[in-house]
Amino acid sequence: MTGYREENKLIMDKNAPIGVFDSGVGGLTVAREIMRQIPNERIVYFGDTARVPYGSKSKDNIIKFSRQIIRFLQTENVKAIVIACNTASALALDEMQQEFDLPILGVVKPGAKVAVETTANKRIGLIGTEANIRSGVYTRYIKSLDDEAKVFEKACPLFVPLVEEGWLHDDITLQVASRYLEELKDTLIMGCTHYPLIRSTIRKVMGDKVNLVNPAYETAIELKNLLERDNLANKCDVDSPSSMYRFYVSDAEEKFKLFANSILPFDITMTKQINIENY
Ligand code: DGL
């Protein structure tokens, strides 16, 4: 364990990595935003490729999976954790914050907050997985920030497989997006790790005027602020990606690597498969 308590304050090693986890590859959109905005932080990424998708799972299972992953990340001595998965952030963040004694951030609150701050007419569209939308967590949080805000929710389950198939700029993706998004005309929260990868298709359907919110971007800002506030920011020089970042998966290493290399600004050379059920 990286941290220890001193007069009830948690003291962590600033050099320790940030743990970032997701149901699979999608959370790499959050990891790459952290890499871009806070390049001197080390990252240990875990993608739960054996149990993806979380978007169709129950709350109990998502909590169990998140708990196992955080236990694993603790063995990697992380100083803080980012739940990159929107679905796990919506369904498991509160429980994980109560159970574990280290800073844990999700992507829902940062995304919701910026949508409330930037909407011109208090009308906010929200797209995400079925479990995420069903939970109502994003909407409740938006309403707690501004009770006059109106939230228009839409689950878009086909987007995840389309992105994983690599059909980012395909006509089929455009058709699916037109169907899903036809009633959403205002500020839109892309409430799923995969959606920023089809941002240009979403933009085509929504038009230039709509404000597209990427929670990954806001989460990286929030993480940076948290590390500075808690005196946890790593002041070391930036090293090569292979020494700054480690990648773990629960299955299908090669597929993960291919996807990662298509969206990260560098090629990852090593991923390691672990049995997450052991944690
Ligand atoms: N990572 C999930 C999310 O952001 C999408 C993929 C899944 O359903 O597991 O909600």
Side-chain angles (χ1 to χ4, degrees):
M1 171 83 186
T2 315
Y4 61 94
R5 288 205 162 265
E6 210 175 79
E7 289 169 5
N8 215 20
K9 199 168 178 284
L10 192 61
I11 311 288
M12 294 280 194
D13 176 5
K14 293 181 193 176
N15 242 314
I18 310 291
V20 178
F21 79 87
D22 179 50
S23 54
V25 291
L28 291 167
T29 59
V30 179
R32 83 176 169 183
E33 204 48 56
I34 297 171
M35 293 167 185
R36 205 172 62 78
Q37 293 193 39
I38 340 180
N40 44 356
E41 292 297 339
R42 299 173 197 288
I43 293 176
V44 177
Y45 183 93
F46 178 81
D48 199 359
T49 44
R51 303 187 291 196
V52 70
Y54 284 10
S56 53
K57 303 279 183 325
S58 65
K59 181 175 167 106
D60 283 355
N61 269 321
I62 293 168
I63 288 176
K64 177 186 140 192
F65 298 163
S66 301
R67 181 182 296 124
Q68 288 176 320
I69 296 168
I70 293 175
R71 284 189 193 138
F72 162 68
L73 289 171
Q74 284 190 310
T75 67
E76 290 285 304
N77 292 325
V78 297
K79 64 182 172 186
I81 285 180
V82 175
I83 307 184
C85 179
N86 284 256
T87 306
S89 295
L91 290 147
L93 176 70
D94 290 348
E95 283 78 1
M96 295 306 102
Q97 284 177 331
Q98 277 161 29
E99 281 183 33
F100 291 94
D101 194 12
L102 84 171
I104 304 179
L105 267 185
V107 289
V108 167
K109 289 185 178 175
K113 191 162 155 270
V114 76
V116 168
E117 282 164 5
T118 55
T119 173
N121 56 6
K122 296 182 188 277
R123 293 165 65 89
I124 298 171
L126 167 69
I127 51 176
T129 65
E130 278 167 336
N132 184 2
I133 298 297
R134 207 181 329 115
S135 77
V137 170
Y138 254 111
T139 299
R140 274 202 296 285
Y141 191 64
I142 291 169
K143 292 266 189 202
S144 76
L145 296 173
D146 182 349
D147 62 2
E148 286 175 8
K150 273 206 157 24
V151 185
F152 303 88
E153 302 168 323
K154 181 84 185 165
C156 303
L158 292 176
F159 279 161
V160 167
L162 287 167
V163 169
E164 298 212 356
E165 199 57 34
W167 294 0
L168 306 185
H169 308 286
D170 198 279
D171 268 359
I172 292 177
T173 311
L174 185 62
Q175 277 178 38
V176 171
S178 306
R179 180 88 168 257
Y180 276 147
L181 305 175
E182 61 191 353
E183 277 153 28
L184 305 170
K185 295 281 170 268
D186 306 281
T187 288
L188 182 67
I189 303 175
M190 296 184 287
C192 172
T193 47
H194 291 58
Y195 302 172
L197 296 170
I198 48 166
R199 187 190 185 104
S200 61
T201 303
I202 294 175
R203 169 66 71 208
K204 230 182 238 173
V205 175
M206 300 294 291
D208 287 344
K209 293 205 183 71
V210 169
N211 173 26
L212 296 182
V213 174
N214 176 4
Y217 182 82
E218 307 306 326
T219 302
I221 296 177
E222 194 137 310
L223 175 65
K224 188 168 189 226
N225 293 341
L226 178 144
L227 295 174
E228 270 156 24
R229 190 197 61 211
D230 291 358
N231 202 19
L232 282 175
N234 193 351
K235 302 290 180 211
C236 294
D237 289 340
V238 179
D239 208 338
S240 64
S242 58
S243 65
M244 297 288 289
Y245 310 129
R246 287 200 294 276
F247 299 89
Y248 291 89
V249 292
S250 46
D251 200 3
E253 265 177 79
E254 282 311 312
K255 197 169 170 219
F256 177 88
K257 229 190 282 177
L258 272 178
F259 193 92
N261 291 345
S262 73
I263 70 159
L264 292 177
F266 55 87
D267 277 355
I268 60 175
T269 45
M270 218 202 71
T271 55
K272 204 166 167 202
Q273 186 173 323
I274 58 145
N275 185 354
I276 195 66
E277 297 290 357
N278 289 342
Y279 293 86

